[in-house]
Amino acid sequence: MGWKDDLQDASFRGVPFACVNTSENGSKSLAIKQAPYSNKASIEDMGNDPLKISIDAVFSGENYKTEMDALWAALVVTGSGELIHPIHGVMQVNVVNYNIVHASEDVDFCKLSIDFIQQEDKERPLFIPVSTPDEIDPAEITETPAAALDTLLNQLEITDPNNYFTVINNIKNAVTTARQYLGIVKSTIESVLSPAESIVGLVDEVTKLATFDTNISAIAKWRDLFKRVQRFEKLFQDDDLPELKQTWRATQIASTVTITQQVVTTVRDEMAQNEQTSFTPVELAIIRQQVRQNVQQVIKTEREQSATDLLFESVAQIQVYKDVADLVHLQIQELIEVRPPITLTTISVPCTMHSLAHMLYGDMDRADEIRRLNPDLFNPAILQIGTELTIYAR
């Protein structure tokens, strides 16, 4: 939805009018304290001045004067009235001044320039909600490369059977080696008829290993598993099939992403149960950075291979990697910036906002935070006994 889709029919005190121009002017009420001969000032934000709104309304047609008189009558009524702003919707305002303009060259037409002042501002959210996906499906990363590899192998089986069996054996050996990297040793490959499926099946193996509910440090376990997956890149370095290399890279990224998804799920569950999280915000930031660097390196490799092989398609897969990196960033950023639980506190002794912040958090600079959480507080300079305030839990 955008500006053109959300416009509303403008009216004041129920009288509709056509609106051709709007503008809003906001200002702050600041208390500025400065010592003589000093370049430093102490500035305290005392809140917002009432919003000033300017609207240009027009009436045209044979009945323009009747419609104009109705709005004029609404403007001269004493007291506040309801304005339907074409962009901001319902607002309670007072009329400051208005100007009605008729021109000889404009027949059956007039323009009204009206200035309003908002009586009471609407409550605004402190945080802008961001729609973050619950999870990322690793199959979306490997789907296209695996399909391309299967198509190539089917053609190779017909045109060059000897080379086909050589590639199949190389894939089996590489998957076995990758399982050894992960600490999972199996004597057989399940998907004999689909080599690509046997490669991307490693993602499921990694998912089973990505658990952080043990006595081992969660970040240490993540680092260990992350390094094991990075060893995948040692395989297929000398292979001549671009599709095979691309599938292997996609499997490595999908495995890295599935580890990260387990981290996100673990932290979300712990937060939902108000438990201490296994990963600190700093550790989450480290994980995000490592994943981003890993994805960036794979994108670079895709571009290099595309530059040397003009028949190799990498644009679509690079876009998949970019989307995945962005989603991982948003998921972890949401966890880092998640708000602490909100609670109520009652003032037991007269105090200022800064002294309250010091008593609650040991940090008087968080006074502005308390002020933002309590926009309706009449006098923040002196908090009286019995006043209830909304605060973040310590």
Side-chain angles (χ1 to χ4, degrees), residues 12 17 78 91 93 96 105 146 159 173 230 233 273 337 357:
F12 180 60
F17 58 88
T78 302
M91 309 177 80
V93 299
V96 179
E105 61 270 19
T159 58
N173 294 333
Q230 300 318 298
E233 65 186 27
Q273 299 172 13
E337 294 183 351

Side-chain angles (χ1 to χ4, degrees), residues 125-387:
L126 291 173
F127 297 88
I128 300 175
V130 177
S131 177
T132 306
D134 291 335
E135 59 182 355
I136 302 172
D137 185 5
E140 296 179 357
I141 304 174
T142 59
E143 181 179 8
T144 300
L149 177 60
D150 275 336
T151 301
L152 175 69
L153 292 177
N154 290 336
Q155 296 173 351
L156 194 62
E157 185 178 12
I158 298 173
T159 58
D160 191 351
N162 291 331
N163 189 23
Y164 169 76
F165 286 111
T166 300
V167 173
I168 293 299
N169 286 328
N170 289 340
I171 291 176
K172 290 181 180 179
N173 294 333
V175 172
T176 301
T177 303
R179 284 201 172 108
Q180 292 174 350
Y181 291 159
L182 296 174
I184 303 173
V185 179
K186 291 188 178 181
S187 58
T188 59
I189 301 297
E190 293 84 349
S191 302
V192 177
L193 299 179
S194 178
E197 185 177 335
S198 68
I199 293 176
V200 300
L202 289 169
V203 179
D204 294 332
E205 304 287 353
V206 174
T207 303
K208 297 174 184 177
L209 296 176
T211 56
F212 304 98
D213 54 355
T214 65
N215 294 328
I216 304 174
S217 166
I219 188 63
K221 187 169 185 181
W222 175 84
R223 282 197 179 101
D224 175 66
L225 192 53
F226 182 81
K227 289 179 180 178
R228 290 194 223 173
V229 171
Q230 300 318 298
R231 297 179 66 186
F232 286 4
E233 65 186 27
K234 297 181 179 179
L235 306 173
F236 295 115
Q237 290 286 352
D238 301 325
D239 198 277
D240 295 330
L241 298 178
E243 290 80 2
L244 179 55
K245 290 183 176 181
Q246 187 181 51
T247 302
W248 196 248
R249 287 193 297 268
T251 300
Q252 179 185 351
I253 292 299
S255 300
T256 302
V257 169
T258 197
I259 300 172
T260 307
Q261 292 305 286
Q262 290 299 105
V263 171
V264 171
T265 300
T266 299
V267 175
R268 282 175 175 171
D269 291 342
E270 290 169 343
M271 286 182 173
Q273 299 172 13
N274 290 324
E275 298 177 354
Q276 183 176 356
T277 56
S278 301
F279 296 87
T280 66
V282 174
E283 291 170 345
L284 290 172
I286 292 173
I287 292 173
R288 179 180 59 188
Q289 181 183 22
Q290 291 294 323
V291 172
R292 193 170 189 86
Q293 290 176 351
N294 192 206
V295 174
Q296 184 60 44
Q297 180 59 44
V298 170
I299 290 176
K300 180 181 178 182
T301 305
E302 289 276 333
R303 288 172 174 162
E304 290 174 348
Q305 189 163 357
S306 180
T308 57
D309 186 352
L310 299 179
L311 298 178
F312 179 70
E313 171 59 42
S314 64
V315 175
Q317 190 62 20
I318 287 176
Q319 187 59 49
V320 170
Y321 291 141
K322 288 181 178 179
D323 293 341
V324 166
D326 184 54
L327 292 176
V328 170
H329 174 86
L330 291 175
Q331 285 181 329
I332 294 184
Q333 189 66 21
E334 182 184 50
L335 296 178
I336 293 175
E337 294 183 351
V338 69
R339 290 175 288 177
I342 287 181
T343 185
L344 293 175
T345 187
T346 303
I347 303 301
S348 56
V349 294
C351 60
T352 64
M353 196 76 74
H354 289 83
S355 61
L356 176 63
H358 178 74
M359 288 187 288
L360 291 174
Y361 311 116
D363 182 4
M364 69 175 186
D365 291 336
R366 295 183 66 176
D368 290 338
E369 171 190 293
I370 301 175
R371 184 71 181 94
R372 289 196 304 270
L373 288 174
N374 299 273
D376 298 329
L377 193 60
F378 180 72
N379 185 6
I382 297 295
L383 302 178
Q384 302 295 337
I385 296 176
T387 303

Side-chain angles (χ1 to χ4, degrees), residues 12-113:
F12 180 60
R13 298 190 195 275
V15 179
F17 58 88
C19 178
V20 296
N21 185 49
T22 70
S23 65
E24 294 81 42
N25 179 23
S27 59
K28 286 280 191 179
S29 177
L30 302 176
I32 303 175
K33 307 176 185 67
Q34 185 174 9
Y37 309 108
S38 170
N39 294 328
K40 296 181 180 180
S42 173
I43 302 176
E44 184 175 358
D45 190 339
M46 304 298 291
N48 300 313
D49 291 331
L51 184 67
K52 300 176 181 63
I53 305 161
S54 297
I55 290 181
D56 289 337
V58 295
F59 293 98
S60 61
E62 295 181 354
N63 297 323
Y64 91 93
K65 189 174 185 305
T66 303
E67 297 169 353
M68 178 204 69
D69 289 340
L71 180 58
W72 193 354
L75 295 174
V76 299
V77 173
T78 302
S80 63
E82 183 182 80
L83 169 69
I84 305 298
H85 194 283
I87 297 175
H88 305 304
V90 179
M91 309 177 80
Q92 200 68 21
V93 299
N94 284 77
V95 178
V96 179
N97 55 63
Y98 57 89
N99 184 36
I100 303 175
V101 179
H102 287 84
S104 59
E105 61 270 19
D106 296 325
V107 180
D108 293 337
F109 177 90
C110 76
K111 176 182 177 181
L112 282 80
S113 298

